[in-house]
Amino acid sequence: MTKPGEIETVIRSLFREIYLGQHPGGVMPDLEPGSILLETGLDSLGFAILVTRLEDELGYDPFSLAAEAYYPQTFGELVAFYVAHCPQ
Amino acid sequence: MTIPPRLEDYLGRISPDRPALATATCTLTFGDILARAQSLRQAGLPERLALNSDDLCETVPVLVAADGVADRLLLASPGLEPIALADLCAQAGCPVMPSVDVPSVALLPDVAAPTAGSGRASDAGARETTWVLTTSGTTGAPKLVPHLLAGLIRSVRLDRIAEEDTVWGLLYDYTRFAGLQVVLQSLLSGACLAVPERTAGLGDRIRFLAAAGVTHLSATPTLWRKILMTAEHRLLQLRQVTLGGEIADAAILAALARAFPGARVSHIFASTEAGVGFSVTDGRAGFPVSYLDTPPSGIGLAVRDGRLFIRNMLAASTYLDGAPLSDAGWVDTGDMVEIEGGRVQFRGRASGVINVGGDKVAPAVVEAAVLAHPSVRLARIHARPNPITGALVAADIVLDPATTDLPALKADLTRFLAARLPRHMVPALIRFVEDLDVNPAGKIRRS
């Protein structure tokens, strides 16, 4: 079982890798719980890659597990979404 | 031969005082548009012109003036790099149109006019204008596609004028097919079209549309997912939510119904091969299996060998060169479908083309680029389903056995591909494998 803190660490690390892949030599934005995802500089292709890489890394995809369709707006909501759907 | 109505004729049906366009910098009524078009014609229009202006208040009067007068009208994306646009103009060798701030170019010679447009009236003031749009080809290179106004407005209901407060929002590039559909739908129905600044962030564009009182909005499923990721989407009071350009999954349809409880949610399926489309408004993915027996008006639907066929009684039975196109009006859409729980569900393209957030990718093109890397021996390109963009491009790669530093090779390969392919075609997921399955014909198994 993955702890909430570990999930956030994995998300941050993959976010950074994908962001820097999209912006070579760029400066990684600060990710606060209230950071608006669409304003972080990662585009929809970047998010799509993040979700798939997270599925490979964590072993689940909350977007397909969630009973109700949900699209997080902030970094905090994204992390909470992954924590809430982590298989027990 | 009779000349069909011109764009000007359609706009003349609308009360001139009604607002037609609202951008960040200007508003125009239907009367304003017609008056501007009239003065543009009096100033003289070139036979062939290209538009790439960012400003719809400038562009729409030119479209109205040119349709039925100009020979060809090319719509080039305002986002096009100046070099690419200049290249187009240079190839054509045409001067900039003097009366408005748009360049005028002749078209590349390989663009054929649609056959129905070949009949021209002798009167130069009455002719059917060929609208030329760009489409992103599966290879990443844009293709030029000719259309006639009659075809572009096929899905617009001309017998109804929109209610006074109807406002369409434009989130697409108006020079692309989907965007032009929204522009024409709004103008021909007498609605107001609200156009946010193209370069503004999505949240700001949604805020602008909400302030403009948008009631009708069309976007791809990928763009709708992004819209729901903005806080501003709560400001929208929509009556019509339209999805098109990609497969609409149950999750996005449910999320939209919840976010916009007062709206009708429609997803559109269109086949360019069959020249027709239909919309599904019951809020569920796919379409009811009952459509196979009682289809939407004007078409027929059938599933043969897991592929969707559409019958359009108006479809040509042969290509121009005489090759058979349809069998008694039945056209293969190239879409794979499955019947599940009383619904016909879309499962992707039979050709293997991957749809990444609305951008089409031909696996063979990606495969060729991957194989061009000196360390790559074999490659298999496939789609990986994704809840944000529908699909991503994935690659399974067999490397030269002499390769030792895998992370360095992966970084080098990514740079190599980024320099050769548009972003959406670069494999987002690369897996190095020992070997790939080969079928008895010696080909890599793609599925």
Side-chain angles (χ1 to χ4, degrees), chain B residues 191-343:
Chain B
C192 182
L193 178 69
V195 187
E197 290 207 54
R198 177 175 60 86
T199 51
L202 185 60
D204 290 335
R205 285 190 283 157
I206 296 300
R207 185 186 301 281
F208 172 88
L209 292 178
V214 160
T215 56
H216 291 52
L217 197 55
S218 175
T220 59
T222 296
L223 188 50
W224 277 117
R225 292 179 194 111
K226 283 181 72 177
I227 290 168
L228 294 182
M229 288 171 73
T230 68
E232 289 83 355
H233 83 264
R234 295 198 180 83
L235 303 170
L236 292 169
Q237 301 279 326
L238 298 179
R239 298 204 298 261
Q240 173 66 48
V241 167
T242 304
L243 302 92
E246 292 173 80
I247 297 170
D249 61 346
I252 186 63
L253 291 168
L256 288 168
R258 207 167 54 240
F260 306 111
R264 187 174 83 142
V265 178
S266 321
H267 57 100
I268 293 173
F269 170 78
S271 163
T272 39
E273 288 85 355
V276 290
F278 61 93
S279 68
V280 182
T281 56
D282 62 9
R284 297 173 60 200
F287 62 86
V289 79
S290 63
Y291 279 19
L292 298 175
D293 295 321
T294 48
S297 65
I299 62 168
L301 294 168
V303 179
R304 297 179 190 167
D305 300 330
R307 289 160 86 132
L308 182 68
F309 281 67
I310 289 193
R311 185 179 53 187
N312 172 7
M313 295 318 287
L314 302 173
S317 58
T318 61
Y319 283 99
L320 288 179
D321 63 5
L325 167 66
S326 68
D327 167 18
W330 287 100
V331 180
D332 182 356
T333 63
D335 285 298
M336 294 187 296
V337 291
E338 263 174 19
I339 296 173
E340 192 184 277
R343 305 289 288 184

Side-chain angles (χ1 to χ4, degrees), chain B residues 76-103:
Chain B
S77 175
L80 206 61
E81 293 294 322
I83 294 170
L85 184 66
D87 189 36
L88 202 64
C89 292
Q91 286 186 59
C94 280
V96 171
M97 186 175 161
S99 54
V100 284
D101 184 26
V102 286

Side-chain angles (χ1 to χ4, degrees), chain A residues 22 36-39 43-53 55-56 61 63-64 68-74, chain B residues 202 222 225-226 228-231 233-234 249 251-252 254-255 258 356 384-389 392 423-424 428-429:
Chain A
Q22 286 197 336
I36 305 291
L37 290 170
L38 290 181
E39 292 169 6
D43 65 4
S44 50
L45 186 59
F47 276 108
I49 296 171
L50 178 64
V51 169
T52 298
R53 293 283 308 274
E55 184 182 2
D56 289 348
D61 165 21
F63 290 91
S64 57
E68 294 239 301
Y70 175 69
Y71 300 95
Q73 292 165 21
T74 63
Chain B
L202 185 60
T222 296
R225 292 179 194 111
K226 283 181 72 177
L228 294 182
M229 288 171 73
T230 68
H233 83 264
R234 295 198 180 83
D249 61 346
I252 186 63
R258 207 167 54 240
V356 182
R384 169 98 182 248
N386 182 275
I388 308 292
T389 54
L392 285 176
R423 295 186 53 225
H424 64 275
L429 303 144

Side-chain angles (χ1 to χ4, degrees), chain B residues 336 380-383 396 437 444-447:
Chain B
M336 294 187 296
R380 183 178 78 99
I381 306 302
H382 57 105
D396 291 344
D437 265 3
I444 289 168
R445 292 184 201 274
R446 288 185 196 272
S447 56

